[in-house]
Every structure is written in C-alpha cells, then in structure tokens.
Amino acid sequence: MATQKCNRVVSFALFIAVALPVTLFFLNTSDIWKLKGAILNIVGSHDRKSSSNDNITKINMANMTMEISPNLTSCHDSYGRPDLLVNCCPPLSATDDVAIDFQYIYSKSSKLRVRRSAHHLDTTYIAKYTKALTIMKSLPYSDPRSFSRQALLHCTFCTGAYDQKFSSATIDIHRQWLFYPFHRMYLYFHERILASLIDDDTFALPFWNWDNPDSMIFPKMFLEGPFVDSQREPSHFNKVVDLNYNSYTVGNASGEQEQVDTNLAFMYNQVIAAAKKPELFMGCPLYPGEDGYCDGPGTVELAPHNTVHTWVGLSSNPHNENMGAFYSAGWDPCFYSHHANLDRIWDVWRDIHGMYLPINDTVWLNSYFYFYNENLQLVKIKVSDVLNTKELGYTYEETDLAWLNKRPKPFISPKIAKHILKTQENYHNETSRLHLFSNKLEGRSLKYPIKVKVPRPKPYRSKEEIKEEEEVLVVYGIKTKGDGIVKFDVYVNLVNETNVGPTYREFAGTFVRLPMKRIGASNGNKKSRLKLGISELLRDLEADRDESIWVTLLPKTSSCANTVIDGVRIDYMR
C-alpha cells in the first residue's frame, strides 16, 4: 500500500515537472485559468474547509501567470456603500502597454526621507506640507497628480471598480493580504508627487502616531488650512482616540487615562498576542479569479484601521463619511497620515516577529498595480518592489512602543473562572434538559451575545508542536444582511459580560466590517471569517491543557442583529 501511494506521488510530480509546461504552451488564456483552478483543487488551496495546517500555500509553477493585477480597460461603476452607486474611474482608461516598470531611484548612499510624527512637526515642515497640498488641490481633475484624482484612487481600488486581468472577478485591496503593500505603494507615489510640487526631495508624509500615549488626540495640524475636512466628527477633536471604537455605542473607558490604557492593551493584542503568524496579521491569501476569493482581514486592518476610520468620520452621515467609508476616505487629508502609521506598524510587526519576507508566495510577490508618478508616467509596481522602505527612500522617526509591555491579565483567577463556567453549564443543562452549546451555529443571529463551548482538537501538544504551531480561534460563515457597520468582540472563558474590554486577558480580538457591496450576483453569497491567535491567551488563562474553552461573541453595534454566524472552531497554523 505504501509503495502504491509513493508511486502515485511520484507520477503526479512528474506530471507537474514535465507534462504541465508542455500543456500550458498549447492552451489559450481562458483554458490556463481553468487549469489553474483545477490544480489549486488538487494541490490544496489555502483556505478550503478546515485544514489543520493554515500556512499560506506556496505555488510556483513553470510558465503559469499567477498574480493579481487590474485590467485597466475594465473600470466600471461600483458601490461606495450598499445604497450608493459611484463612479471612481479616471477620465480615460489607460492601457498597461504604456506603463513603465518601477525602478528604485535612491541608492544606499542617498539620505533617507524621514516620516515624522504629526504631533511633533515644526512650523517649517507644516508650511512645506501646506504649500504642497494647496498646489495639489489646485491642479485640474484631468491631472492624475491632483488631489481629487489621488482621493479617487482609494475609491477605485476599495469598491471593486476594476476587474482582475483575465477574469470578471473584481479587485478590492481590503480584507486580504494585499492590504499593506497596496497602501504602501499608494502613499509612496502620493508623497513623491507632493515633494515634486514644491521641488523638495526631502519631503516626507507625517504619520498620526495614534498608538503612542502622547499622540492619541487628533493632530491639530489637520484642523487648519488645506488639511481641514468638514466631514469629521467635531466632538472627537479633543478626545483620546478609541482604537476599539464601537461607532454607535459609547466605549467602556470612563476617562482619558483609562482610554490610553485600553488603547495600549488593545495594540498589544492586535500586533503581538493575536497576530503571531503572517495570515493573522496580514489577512487571507487572495488568488486570481473568482475561485481565489477570500474575505479574512488581518487583526490590525480590522482595528485600529477600520475603527479609526469610523472614529474620525462624521457620525451624522449615513456611514460616517468621509473617513468612515472607504469610497470617500481619500478626500480627508488625515487619511494619508493614518495609513502612514499603519505602514509603520507593518514594519514594527515584522521586526517583532522576525519576518522580513512575511509571505513567500509567488502570487503575492508578483501581484502588481499601476500608479502615476510625479512625472505623469504610468508605473507598474509589484508587491516585491515595496518590501523594504529604505529601498523606497524613506524611513520612520523612532517612537516609543509603549504597548509592548502591556500584556493584559485575567479579570479573575483562571481557576475561579473555570469553576464558575462549569457551574453555569451544569445549571443550564439541568434546567433546559438540552445541551445548547454546539459550536456549529448554522446561521445564528448576533442580535444577542453568543456563548459556545468549543473543543480543542489538540489539547496535549508536544513542546515542538507548541513552538511551531499557533492555536487559532476561527469564527466562520460571517454574513451581514444589512448595510450598517458591524462590530463584535471575541472573548475566551469570560464569566461576566459587563466586565469586558481589551485590558483583560479574556479579550481575544474584534471583528469590524464597514458597509460594502460588490457588482455581480455571486458576491452577495460571500461570507467572511475571523482568525485570532490564542496560544498566549490560553497560557495566561491556564487553559492550554483544557479539552475545550468557552467562546463569547459580544455584539457591539446595532447592525449585529442583521449578522449571522455559522460556527466557531479551533485550527492550528504553522
């Protein structure tokens, strides 16, 4: 039997090495994409069913084009929000045959541009930025360097206005692994255009350092001159930002210092505890075509990215526009500083976890986009081009990472918590005569909190397994029927739903979904999932040897009533 199995493996390997390249040579483009889908099924696409090994699939097949890229001639109307059809397309469709390949223009001997904290800028810098942005806003819409065209870039790539090449599937740079590299490209060209408008090659964008205690209040520079945007929530200007903002409800923090402490504990969870593997931090792997669809955002993209967007936007607008809705966010000048901080945190995460090349996948590395540079040239730039900020000519001012030592502690003793949970379970079973704690929820509404007992497939892992694998809590089959902002928090072994928040170790993470809709009937059936690393959390809760844990999904917005969940499970990710 073993010999037969070995022979089958060898035969398949020979097919891949010899027959496949020859076959591809004779196939036309559409056939290649069909064959690609078949091979992904055979080899094992990354996020199918419930694999115990959630590593990002590495596919590198000879003569096969496998990358995500926009079809520049396919721009069409799209939905800025579920009730609003928009057109974010540029005035004329470009073609990729006029694009030039990206080239680094800075050598190792060049002086790096330094992106500085928006709270620590001097008047000279602010005057430069004011001049550059004023000129950019004065340029006509026909000029791709103009502020209006820069703002619409985000709308174009976050609403599915472009189809992918060789496919009718659309491109959205949120909620998957292209999120960080796309925004890095976007800011890079935006920054270079601003610098060229004032003929100052040293100019660099500022970043809003909202993860630092002395920079959590909205930057004052954005309340003056060309940085003003009328579509912001004025009641938030003098308050500490809530990185775990609930949008329609009041946060748990009762004072400024408590909000700072909550933010620091939240950052620790989102960057360190819950995001020890690339997919957990960066999002799920997106592959070409409709079959390669995924909707599983990384921890920081969910929050603070989504939550700060909403916190800044005007709450009286339908969906907190401008910043609160992706189609309009680019119109607020603070958008670029918000994303500069996210770009910085990407590098911080890589340094903390020792991942210079976070994803070694051909599809991710070869995926590319197009941007106009300061010389009005259309540039094709790949993900592999933007992995090192110093090669791009810039770096970040060093700031204190105050959240590194903010590891939360349990609300109550783990032993007492487990005793209370066991008592609650016994009482429920005795009074109802039914065991209602199945982790398979099958479309259960999130109108009210959901509490389920989730089995751990591998409670007694070896030291080697513990070292190599991250235990991952997966909330799957998340589907929103309405059009509001959806947010729910996730807790493990929580005994009291009134004493909650990121400052307690029971907090595992959060799910945030801003309103969205896609062109095409098939997009309406797509479901999302949330993945959170919990290995460290389980050790702190003394649950790392338990055969099951209690998971609580706590709705934080009214739109959760229109959201359903299919289930909760535990996977393991190497």
Side-chain angles (χ1 to χ4, degrees), residues 93-106:
S93 295
T95 56
D96 55 4
D97 58 354
V98 302
I100 63 173
D101 290 332
F102 175 78
Q103 292 184 344
Y104 298 112
I105 58 177
Y106 292 90

Side-chain angles (χ1 to χ4, degrees), residues 228-239:
V228 171
D229 181 20
S230 62
Q231 306 305 300
R232 294 178 187 149
E233 180 51 48
S235 65
H236 290 166
F237 288 164
N238 296 314
K239 291 183 179 179

Side-chain angles (χ1 to χ4, degrees), residues 101-356:
D101 290 332
F102 175 78
Q103 292 184 344
Y104 298 112
I105 58 177
Y106 292 90
S107 65
K108 292 182 179 179
S109 60
S110 300
K111 187 176 181 180
L112 295 173
R113 306 187 305 278
V114 180
R115 292 183 177 176
R116 297 163 56 193
S117 169
H119 285 75
H120 302 142
L121 300 174
D122 55 37
T123 55
T124 301
Y125 174 89
I126 294 176
K128 286 183 179 181
Y129 195 5
T130 299
K131 180 180 179 181
L133 187 58
T134 300
I135 296 173
M136 179 180 273
K137 287 191 170 185
S138 72
L139 295 175
Y141 177 72
S142 58
D143 190 329
R145 300 172 303 166
S146 65
F147 186 74
S148 56
R149 291 282 294 278
Q150 292 289 299
L152 285 175
L153 265 174
H154 195 254
C155 178
T156 304
F157 285 103
C158 75
T159 63
Y162 278 121
D163 293 340
Q164 296 178 27
K165 280 188 178 177
F166 313 116
S167 171
S168 60
T170 58
I171 291 182
D172 182 349
I173 43 76
H174 292 101
R175 312 185 68 78
Q176 38 82 10
W177 64 2
L178 293 177
F179 172 78
Y180 286 100
F182 171 86
H183 285 92
R184 176 167 288 181
M185 298 170 186
Y186 186 11
L187 294 190
Y188 171 83
F189 288 103
H190 184 77
E191 180 178 78
R192 300 318 303 139
I193 291 170
L194 287 168
S196 71
L197 293 176
I198 55 174
D199 195 24
D200 184 352
D201 202 46
T202 68
F203 176 84
L205 284 167
F207 63 97
W208 177 13
N209 193 191
W210 34 249
D211 58 302
N212 190 296
D214 71 356
S215 302
M216 289 181 178
I217 293 177
F218 191 75
K220 289 184 179 179
M221 68 168 290
F222 289 110
L223 300 177
E224 299 177 354
F227 306 106
V228 171
D229 181 20
S230 62
Q231 306 305 300
R232 294 178 187 149
E233 180 51 48
S235 65
H236 290 166
F237 288 164
N238 296 314
K239 291 183 179 179
V240 173
V241 64
D242 182 357
L243 299 184
N244 195 30
Y245 184 53
N246 297 331
S247 68
Y248 297 135
T249 59
V250 179
N252 295 308
S254 59
E256 183 172 303
Q257 187 56 51
E258 185 176 348
Q259 184 63 67
V260 170
D261 293 339
T262 299
N263 286 343
L264 295 178
F266 184 70
M267 283 298 299
Y268 178 89
N269 185 78
Q270 299 298 90
V271 180
I272 299 178
K276 295 183 185 294
K277 298 294 182 180
E279 183 180 340
L280 300 177
F281 179 79
M282 300 190 67
C284 60
L286 180 72
Y287 289 102
E290 191 72 32
D291 291 340
Y293 172 90
C294 82
D295 188 339
T299 52
V300 170
E301 183 188 349
L302 287 166
H305 168 254
N306 286 351
T307 47
V308 172
H309 266 282
T310 307
W311 187 86
V312 173
L314 186 59
S315 61
S316 61
N317 283 337
H319 291 299
N320 292 58
E321 289 93 340
N322 281 333
M323 273 284 281
F326 292 152
Y327 79 94
S328 58
W331 290 97
D332 189 332
C334 85
F335 166 89
Y336 305 92
S337 288
H338 172 43
H339 269 276
N341 200 42
L342 290 158
D343 183 66
R344 179 187 70 89
I345 288 172
W346 182 18
D347 277 356
V348 168
W349 174 82
R350 289 164 65 177
D351 290 340
I352 290 173
H353 297 284
M355 296 183 183
Y356 169 71

Side-chain angles (χ1 to χ4, degrees), residues 63-81:
N63 298 331
M64 181 172 286
T65 300
M66 292 189 66
E67 66 270 335
I68 303 292
S69 59
N71 177 358
L72 295 182
T73 64
S74 69
C75 198
H76 49 68
D77 290 351
S78 53
Y79 282 94
R81 57 179 193 247

Side-chain angles (χ1 to χ4, degrees), residues 19-46:
L20 179 58
V22 176
T23 302
L24 290 175
F25 180 81
F26 290 102
L27 290 178
N28 60 35
T29 300
S30 61
D31 290 331
I32 287 177
W33 289 110
K34 292 177 183 177
L35 181 59
K36 181 271 299 182
I39 292 171
L40 284 177
N41 283 322
I42 297 171
V43 177
S45 108
H46 169 74

